[in-house]
């Protein structure tokens, strides 16, 4: 009986192979995408098949259903194939101001497959095959018309026994990832979604990129077929019911890119594919955009910015650790106890630190009443507020509580970025969507929350037990697709305690990438550290020339190395209840160059460090002991 079933499946996919009309292969021949015609056994719409391995020979995703439903016409069933355009090589080198790599390459083979529906309306499918994944998007090439997109039928079929790490959807994208081996849980799911094939040979991460004003953000749902993850528009209740769930598009039109990063775990972690496919920078002069580290008073004192003296203490912390920024969070408009906003800003500037300020996004889309709430909502309000901030020397704003990914909210995000750029003001978003490649288009977008970060130690006891595992999943999922404002590196306790070691917390300054990295602990949490750890935090960069995954597995452990100039920084953590010995292999270093290693690892107990100094080169290895839920950080400086 089992043999009969396998034979039927083989027959089905052989039929699908016979219906191929086009394919494109990555430059390194590892990834292959096939366009298949509808098939009575497999799909009643056109679909893609994604293959991986030498010559793209192993089927990884057997079916990605295709199609759109527009208010005037259907572009799914009964599409007629017209032609496949000539394959072209996409090749582009670009630089970034912040992120996992300073010099990036956008290199792929691309084809455009053209269709028409029974009404003779045209639809193009643009497909790219990269060395580290694929991307595809829809295009309505006709020159005029405005329509509602009622549904997008793109759906990824993921076979049973494929391991998956998925986060249940919530508008703030602040959930935990669950590890599963099939699709038995049927839910709405956040991006990005991570998968590992049953044979463990290929990993892939599903996301979207280059979402613009002409569409909405989406999520994945698997309610119809438990193993078919369909692109789904926002729910009506998102944003307290404001905005339309279905996007309005104006022709000519292109959809966001549907992105699948593929390969080994290191291919996933090191990929810049989400930015590669996104629109290049629209800001010409970027000299004023300065990534950096900030002190932040909210985590340890929820009402800290209401107190002038607390604000000054955190500004002093930034100055003492050579961090360029300090953030004034909510309630700065009601500051007292010795001074008001203008006094605080004057003091911050006087000690060589630059201020950042928090805003409620405002409007009917959020129930949160925290003030100031009314200053970002309209173009007129923003222009007035940004002009004031420019005069006061405020260099960045944190805007919070968006609670929707409908088209109106996508427009709002981009409005803020464009208006802020006119006044040379950096921006980051909280209570928001996860990155969609906008940091390439608007490099003044420094970071996003869109993650369950350290703030959750204040929300209840749950994060005390879940944080270690959660922290060791994020480098393989959320932080792959863009900057992540987790607000890490906390040694003291806030409202609920840690179970992570001090070594684990220090490592997060390397593992978690963010264009503005907020060190969230209270001043004494840093002042009372031993000298080696304090020195490490005084010099840690938050922008990188290169990033490498050295070892790891989601939910268990992760070790990463990041390069800045001639130096390398390494962070490693364990997410489990077991001690482990991590072999640190320096084979990623260049030949014939020696480095001084400063290794700061777990000591005798969770709140203790062990510090080791030695000279290493490409041939060296070092064994590092990690306590349960432990970690380590290291810096390698060239010996001159």
């Amino acid at each position: 009986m089992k043999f009969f079933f396998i034979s039927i499946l083989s027959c089905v996919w052989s039929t699908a192979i016979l219906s191929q009309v086009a394919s494109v292969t990555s430059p390194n021949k590892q990834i292959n995408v096939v366009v298949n015609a509808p098939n009575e056994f497999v799909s009643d719409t056109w679909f893609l098949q994604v293959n991986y391995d030498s010559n793209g020979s192993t089927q990884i995703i057997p079916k990605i259903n295709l199609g759109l439903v527009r208010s005037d016409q259907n572009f799914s069933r009964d599409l007629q194939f017209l032609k496949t355009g000539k394959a072209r090589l996409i090749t582009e080198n670009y630089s970034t101001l912040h992120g996992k790599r300073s010099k990036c390459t956008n290199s792929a083979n691309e084809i455009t497959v053209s269709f028409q529906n029974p009404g003779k309306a045209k639809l193009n499918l643009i497909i790219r095959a990269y060395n580290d994944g694929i991307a595809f998007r829809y295009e309505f090439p006709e020159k005029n018309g405005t329509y509602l997109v009622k549904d997008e039928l793109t759906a990824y079929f993921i076979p049973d026994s494929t391991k998956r790490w998925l986060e249940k959807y919530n508008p703030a994208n602040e959930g935990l990832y669950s590890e599963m081996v099939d699709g038995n849980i049927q839910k709405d799911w956040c991006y990005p979604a991570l998968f590992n094939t049953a044979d463990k040979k290929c990993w892939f991460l599903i996301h979207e990129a280059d979402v613009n004003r002409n569409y909405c953000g989406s999520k994945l749902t698997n309610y119809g077929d438990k193993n078919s993850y369909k692109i789904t528009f926002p729910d009506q209740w998102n944003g307290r019911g404001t905005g339309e769930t279905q996007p309005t598009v104006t022709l000519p039109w292109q959809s966001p890119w549907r992105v699948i990063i593929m390969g080994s775990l290191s291919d996933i972690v090191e990929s810049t594919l989400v930015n590669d496919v996104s629109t290049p920078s629209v800001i010409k002069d970027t000299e004023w955009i300065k990534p950096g580290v900030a002190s932040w008073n909210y985590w340890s004192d929820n009402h800290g910015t209401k107190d002038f003296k607390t604000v000054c203490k955190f500004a002093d912390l930034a100055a003492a650790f050579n961090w360029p920024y300090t953030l004034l969070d909510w309630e700065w408009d009601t500051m007292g106890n010795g001074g008001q906003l203008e006094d605080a800003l004057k003091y911050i500037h006087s000690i060589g630190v630059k201020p950042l300020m928090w805003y409620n996004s405002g409007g009917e889309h959020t129930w949160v009443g925290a003030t100031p709430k009314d200053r970002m909502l309209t173009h007129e309000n923003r222009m007035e507020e940004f002009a004031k901030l420019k005069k006061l020397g405020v260099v960045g704003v944190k805007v919070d509580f968006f609670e929707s990914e409908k088209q109106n909210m996508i427009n709002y995000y981009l409005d803020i970025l464009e208006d802020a750029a006119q006044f040379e003001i950096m921006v980051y978003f909280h209570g928001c969507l996860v990155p969609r490649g906008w940091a390439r288009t608007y490099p003044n977008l420094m970071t996003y929350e869109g993650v369950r970060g350290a703030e959750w130690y204040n929300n209840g006891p749950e994060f005390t037990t879940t944080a270690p595992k959660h922290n060791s999943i994020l480098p393989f999922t959320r932080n792959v697709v863009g900057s992540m404002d987790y607000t890490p590196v906390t040694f003291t306790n806030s409202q609920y305690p840690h179970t992570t070691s001090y070594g684990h917390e220090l490592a997060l300054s390397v593992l978690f990438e963010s264009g503005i990295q907020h060190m969230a602990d209270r001043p004494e949490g840093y002042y009372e550290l031993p000298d080696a750890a304090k020195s490490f935090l005084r010099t840690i960069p938050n922008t990188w020339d290169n990033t490498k995954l050295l070892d790891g597995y989601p939910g268990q452990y992760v070790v990463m190395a990041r390069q800045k100039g001639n130096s390398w920084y390494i962070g490693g953590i364990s997410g489990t209840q077991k001690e482990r010995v991590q072999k640190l292999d320096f084979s990623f270093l260049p030949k014939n160059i020696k480095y001084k290693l400063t290794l700061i690892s777990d000591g005798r107990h969770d709140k203790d460090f062990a510090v080791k100094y030695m000279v290493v080169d490409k041939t060296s290895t070092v064994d590092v002991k990690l306590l349960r839920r432990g970690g380590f950080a290291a810096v390698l400086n060239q010996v001159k």
Side-chain angles (χ1 to χ4, degrees):
M1 191 67 181
K2 183 178 179 182
F3 176 78
F4 175 75
F5 179 68
I6 292 171
S7 298
I8 290 291
L9 280 182
S10 299
C11 181
V12 166
W13 291 114
S14 296
T15 307
I17 291 170
L18 292 174
S19 65
Q20 293 178 10
V21 299
S23 69
V24 60
T25 301
S26 61
N28 66 358
K29 311 299 184 187
Q30 282 287 102
I31 296 171
N32 170 251
V33 188
V34 178
V35 183
N36 288 299
N39 180 289
E40 62 179 309
F41 297 105
V42 181
S43 175
D44 57 3
T45 67
W46 289 82
F47 64 98
L48 301 180
Q49 180 182 318
V50 183
N51 306 308
Y52 176 78
D53 227 340
S54 56
N55 299 313
S57 58
T58 304
Q59 190 182 101
I60 301 300
I61 306 179
K63 181 175 65 169
I64 304 174
N65 282 345
L66 302 170
L68 295 162
V69 180
R70 214 166 67 185
S71 53
D72 63 325
Q73 299 184 63
N74 191 306
F75 294 84
S76 57
R77 296 177 180 84
D78 302 320
L79 283 179
Q80 178 188 353
F81 168 73
L82 296 179
K83 65 176 181 178
T84 299
K86 185 177 179 181
R88 71 183 187 114
L89 175 65
I90 304 294
T91 179
E92 174 194 21
N93 296 314
Y94 67 96
S95 299
T96 64
L97 297 177
H98 49 86
K100 65 181 78 171
R101 188 170 295 113
S102 59
K103 304 292 184 184
C104 300
T105 300
N106 178 24
S107 180
N109 289 321
E110 179 187 277
I111 59 170
T112 298
V113 184
S114 298
F115 303 93
Q116 70 178 14
N117 71 1
K120 305 300 183 184
K122 303 296 192 293
L123 174 71
N124 292 336
L125 182 67
I126 303 168
I127 310 169
R128 290 181 181 178
Y130 287 82
N131 289 345
D132 60 348
I134 74 163
F136 63 95
R137 74 189 327 174
Y138 302 101
E139 179 181 60
F140 292 136
E142 290 158 334
K143 301 301 182 185
N144 52 65
T146 298
Y147 306 97
L148 200 68
V149 176
K150 299 182 74 66
D151 197 9
E152 180 173 335
L153 304 179
T154 308
Y156 306 89
F157 180 80
I158 310 297
D160 265 335
S161 302
T162 302
K163 191 167 282 190
R164 55 205 79 191
W165 286 259
L166 301 172
E167 177 188 337
K168 294 177 183 178
Y169 180 77
N170 62 96
N173 295 278
E174 292 183 35
L176 295 169
Y177 275 85
S178 299
E179 181 180 331
M180 298 166 277
V181 293
D182 55 36
N184 284 339
I185 299 176
Q186 292 171 285
K187 291 284 185 184
D188 298 23
W189 304 103
C190 292
Y191 290 117
L194 177 67
F195 302 87
N196 185 209
T197 55
D199 63 6
K200 299 181 173 55
K201 290 183 178 178
C202 183
W203 294 80
F204 56 100
L205 189 82
I206 295 176
H207 194 45
E208 66 179 6
D210 209 28
V211 180
N212 60 29
R213 297 180 184 278
N214 222 8
Y215 216 57
C216 59
S218 72
K219 58 186 175 181
L220 299 172
T221 61
N222 64 330
Y223 288 108
D225 176 340
K226 67 185 180 70
N227 283 321
S228 183
Y229 293 86
K230 180 186 176 300
I231 286 180
T232 304
F233 295 155
D235 293 313
Q236 182 56 46
W237 63 267
N238 297 165
R240 296 183 70 202
T242 61
E244 300 299 323
T245 61
Q246 297 169 330
T248 298
V249 304
T250 299
L251 276 52
W253 170 85
Q254 291 182 329
S255 75
W257 287 103
R258 306 306 172 200
V259 175
I260 308 173
I261 303 171
M262 294 179 63
S264 66
L265 263 182
S266 59
D267 290 328
I268 302 288
V269 170
E270 297 167 20
S271 176
T272 58
L273 187 52
V274 170
N275 282 347
D276 295 345
V277 300
S278 294
T279 303
S281 176
V282 296
I283 300 174
K284 302 305 179 186
D285 175 18
T286 59
E287 286 297 313
W288 53 275
I289 301 171
K290 303 292 184 184
V293 179
S295 63
W296 182 52
N297 65 46
Y298 177 82
W299 183 82
S300 59
D301 185 340
N302 292 174
H303 299 281
T305 307
K306 199 173 184 178
D307 188 306
F308 171 77
K309 292 180 180 177
T310 299
V311 170
C312 292
K313 287 179 182 177
F314 277 82
D316 291 340
L317 170 65
F321 275 78
N322 201 33
W323 301 336
Y325 303 118
T326 190
L327 170 63
L328 282 64
D329 216 284
W330 73 307
E331 297 183 319
W332 56 257
D333 55 333
T334 59
M335 194 183 303
N337 193 25
Q340 296 181 321
L341 175 64
E342 290 75 8
D343 304 305
L345 295 177
K346 183 177 180 180
Y347 179 77
I348 291 166
H349 283 294
S350 75
I351 61 172
V353 176
K354 294 179 181 179
L356 312 165
M357 284 170 54
W358 177 95
Y359 287 84
N360 189 329
S361 65
E364 292 301 314
H365 61 269
T366 176
W367 58 269
V368 180
T371 61
K373 186 173 180 177
D374 59 349
R375 308 191 190 184
M376 289 289 127
L377 193 60
T378 68
H379 173 71
E380 292 73 22
N381 285 351
R382 287 190 296 273
M383 299 302 275
E384 179 181 351
E385 194 69 12
F386 289 149
K388 289 179 184 176
L389 295 179
K390 182 75 172 176
K391 187 176 292 187
L392 291 169
V394 175
V395 298
V397 293
K398 169 184 175 180
V399 188
D400 209 342
F401 305 124
F402 290 88
E403 303 180 32
S404 168
E405 298 181 17
K406 297 175 186 174
Q407 188 174 22
N408 69 314
M409 201 57 58
I410 299 299
N411 277 307
Y412 185 26
Y413 282 115
L414 302 182
D415 287 344
I416 292 171
L417 291 169
E418 290 176 359
D419 288 349
Q422 295 185 49
F423 294 87
E424 298 187 343
I425 288 177
M426 298 179 291
V427 176
Y428 50 106
F429 297 126
H430 264 232
C432 62
L433 79 181
V434 297
R436 299 301 209 278
W438 292 346
R440 183 179 180 195
T441 312
Y442 301 96
N444 62 322
L445 174 53
M446 310 307 292
T447 189
Y448 316 61
E449 190 181 28
V451 66
R452 180 166 295 199
E455 181 180 294
W456 278 77
Y457 284 114
N458 293 336
N459 295 346
E462 163 269 315
F463 204 54
T464 294
T465 55
T466 58
K469 181 177 180 180
H470 177 64
N471 293 348
S472 63
I473 293 174
L474 293 176
F476 303 102
T477 53
R478 164 63 182 84
N479 212 184
V480 170
V481 301
S483 284
M484 180 179 77
D485 195 24
Y486 177 103
T487 63
V489 192
T490 53
F491 303 102
T492 68
N493 289 324
S494 187
Q495 295 182 37
Y496 295 91
H498 298 73
T499 60
T500 52
S501 75
Y502 275 23
H504 183 118
E505 289 296 318
L506 187 65
L508 300 184
S509 65
V510 180
L511 289 177
F512 292 169
E513 181 274 313
S514 182
I516 293 180
Q517 186 78 284
H518 291 87
M519 301 297 186
D521 208 346
R522 49 180 57 86
E524 54 267 32
Y526 299 113
Y527 293 145
E528 294 171 5
L529 292 172
D531 289 344
K534 282 193 286 193
S535 177
F536 188 86
L537 289 175
R538 284 191 174 103
T539 58
I540 184 73
N542 77 308
T543 63
W544 306 103
D545 295 327
N546 201 3
T547 292
K548 289 186 176 295
L549 176 69
L550 302 185
D551 199 2
Y553 189 88
Q556 296 183 17
Y557 68 102
V558 56
V559 183
M560 291 174 65
R562 298 190 191 267
Q563 182 184 14
K564 185 69 172 181
N566 292 325
S567 298
W568 286 86
Y569 294 79
I570 303 173
I573 62 171
S574 167
T576 73
Q577 303 295 324
K578 296 181 179 179
E579 293 187 356
R580 64 176 284 111
V581 175
Q582 178 65 46
K583 182 175 289 295
L584 199 51
D585 184 332
F586 298 102
S587 58
F588 62 90
L589 294 173
K591 292 180 180 179
N592 303 319
I593 298 177
K594 294 187 179 297
Y595 289 81
K596 179 183 177 182
L597 168 69
T598 302
L599 175 64
I600 310 168
S601 59
D602 289 328
R604 294 161 297 172
H605 52 78
D606 286 354
K607 294 178 172 55
D608 186 38
F609 286 113
V611 182
K612 180 184 291 187
Y613 304 95
M614 57 191 303
V615 174
V616 299
D617 61 19
K618 185 180 179 68
T619 66
S620 304
T621 60
V622 175
D623 286 342
V624 186
K625 182 179 178 180
L626 280 71
L627 299 176
R628 56 183 184 169
R629 308 177 303 276
F632 68 92
V635 59
L636 293 155
N637 293 313
Q638 274 193 26
V639 177
K640 295 182 180 179

